[in-house]
Amino acid sequence: MTLLHLALRSLLNRRLTVGLTVLSAACSVMLLLGVERLRTESRQSFMSTVAGTDLVVGARSDGPQLLLQAVFNIGYPTRNIGLDAYEEIAANPAVAWIIPLSVGDTHRGFRVVGTNESYLTHYQFARDRHLELESGDWFSGEDSAVLGAAVARELGYRVGQEMVVAHGAGEISFAHHEEHPFRVSGVLAATGTPVDRTVLVSLRGIDAMHAEFQGARDQTVDITDPLAVAMARAEAHDHAHDDHGEIGSGSLSALLVGLHQRGAALGLQRSINESDAEPLTAVLPGVALQELWVVVGVIERSLLLLGGFVVVVGLMGMLSNLLATLDQRRREMAILRSVGARPGQIMALLVVETSLVTAAGAVLGSGLVSAAMLFGAPILETRYGLYLEVGAPSAAELRLLVGVVLAGTIIGLIPGWRVYRHALIDGLTPRL
């Protein structure tokens, strides 16, 4: 009978306690691999949020800060971009497309973003996916808005519903643009990105809204008077179309730029950053994200270290279980010695058993992580904006699994050494 076969038979005879030990090890491995999977996949999810965007341009600021403001809807710019700078960048031969963004208003805590049709055409996420409308149409005028999936779901809005935008950030605002309400023209399909939590309107609509708001304040327009409101809207309409078409006449907060060839990104970035016309910052999304990960890397390592401690606790529990059952198995070991098994073989038997238990826990834990990702990925994507790709374990995860199995094998040396030191008569002599 081989050593492996003997170890399997011994484990089957103790299937209940061994099963609980395997389950404990699997839960520990599941937490460790889960942290690693979330860490790596969240990075990929953040990278895929700006898939296809070669440069992000904004007012002079720090790279990660600009990326958070323009792409992830975190924070607001201190300055805006002039239209002359926009037109100069758009006219560059290396630029294939450009998405203008204007922020500064909210609706019940959700950010309102002014943009144009290039947002629907060129914005990419999750590697190479484009935005799609779940219902309705893209905004076609100054009074229409397109909602992200999370906005429509949480507020219960439908196509055709009217909404009023508030000036500034936050869920509570005392300055509402009631003179220029928007009507929902469409709802985007869920993307798992910050787009799901935005309200998209036209740049001309942003201009008209602010012009009407300012006109109402300057002229004390009675918003209950239809004629006064119509006159204010007509004036705002003329202001929004001053020489700039669909871009409007107001300032822009950021630009998302796509190039014909990505190799031209560094040259255009340097040209924008060194321009004397207007202090601007152009960043490569990948580089800015790497800088951001340096800042949050401490949290990542802390979570991974916590998962490692959980595995250590699980292995210590397995060791305690082995030592607790060792006295009950001393007669078994003595019988094996009596039929010719050498002390080294007895020690190897316990090491093989421990390795098998740890390997089973590692395989089960890896399977649990994959199952959790399979069922949890859609929830994380729709609710928290994390796009997680379910696949085979990565090289880093395989290294962690091998490390866990090796640690379990080393743990098995402790009870094996104790058995090695026991004499043949130990367990055969009756105890009175």
Side-chain angles (χ1 to χ4, degrees), residues 81-252:
I81 303 174
L83 290 175
D84 291 339
Y86 164 80
E87 292 171 350
E88 181 180 352
I89 296 173
N92 192 296
V95 174
W97 51 263
I98 186 168
I99 301 176
L101 303 174
S102 178
V103 300
D105 299 287
T106 59
H107 176 70
R108 298 180 63 177
F110 295 100
R111 177 170 295 200
V112 175
V113 178
T115 185
N116 58 14
E117 194 169 353
S118 61
Y119 195 95
L120 178 66
T121 305
H122 298 294
Y123 186 88
Q124 296 182 34
F125 65 98
R127 281 71 172 177
D128 58 355
R129 294 170 59 187
H130 289 266
L131 298 176
E132 296 179 357
L133 286 163
E134 185 178 75
S135 60
D137 301 304
W138 187 252
F139 53 73
S140 57
E142 300 172 1
D143 300 333
S144 57
V146 175
L147 306 183
V151 180
R153 182 182 66 249
E154 295 184 20
L155 300 183
Y157 285 178
R158 297 291 184 271
V159 174
Q161 191 161 348
E162 193 173 88
M163 52 180 287
V164 174
V165 172
H167 183 70
E171 297 187 5
I172 300 176
S173 177
F174 298 100
H176 292 81
H177 297 288
E178 296 177 346
E179 307 84 4
H180 190 98
F182 289 91
R183 190 172 300 276
V184 178
S185 64
V187 177
L188 292 173
T191 65
T193 70
V195 176
D196 293 344
R197 304 187 65 81
T198 58
V199 177
L200 302 174
V201 300
S202 68
L203 290 167
R204 292 182 302 178
I206 292 285
D207 280 352
M209 175 181 64
H210 288 150
E212 290 179 24
F213 179 73
Q214 186 62 39
R217 292 179 58 184
D218 295 343
Q219 304 173 17
T220 318
V221 174
D222 183 4
I223 62 173
T224 61
D225 185 352
L227 179 60
V229 172
M231 292 178 64
R233 286 197 172 190
E235 182 179 350
H237 183 274
D238 294 337
H239 176 73
H241 285 75
D242 288 346
D243 304 325
H244 295 287
E246 65 175 7
I247 300 301
S249 59
S251 297
L252 303 174

Side-chain angles (χ1 to χ4, degrees), residues 257-399:
V257 181
L259 306 178
H260 291 291
Q261 295 181 347
R262 290 199 166 184
L266 289 176
L268 182 58
Q269 179 191 27
R270 182 170 57 253
S271 174
I272 294 173
N273 290 339
E274 296 176 355
S275 175
D276 296 328
E278 184 175 347
L280 298 176
T281 295
V283 299
L284 300 171
V287 175
L289 277 176
Q290 289 299 326
E291 295 177 7
L292 182 62
W293 289 126
V294 171
V295 177
V296 301
V298 176
I299 301 176
E300 283 188 333
R301 290 189 292 271
S302 299
L303 290 175
L304 195 59
L305 185 62
L306 178 62
F309 276 128
V310 172
V311 172
V312 171
V313 171
L315 292 176
M316 290 299 103
M318 183 174 62
L319 175 60
S320 300
N321 180 269
L322 288 172
L323 293 176
T325 59
L326 198 58
D327 286 338
Q328 302 174 11
R329 301 181 61 192
R330 288 171 75 174
R331 181 177 294 274
E332 174 190 345
M333 302 304 170
I335 292 174
L336 290 175
R337 291 282 303 278
S338 68
V339 296
R342 295 188 298 274
Q345 292 176 320
I346 301 297
M347 179 178 178
L349 175 64
L350 287 181
V351 173
V352 170
E353 288 183 7
T354 309
S355 299
L356 289 175
V357 170
T358 309
V363 172
L364 180 59
S366 179
L368 290 175
V369 168
S370 298
M373 294 287 289
L374 183 63
F375 291 102
I379 299 176
L380 291 175
E381 181 177 351
T382 55
R383 293 189 176 274
Y384 301 102
L386 284 176
Y387 176 78
L388 304 181
E389 186 173 351
V390 182
S394 63
E397 293 175 12
L398 290 176
R399 287 194 295 268

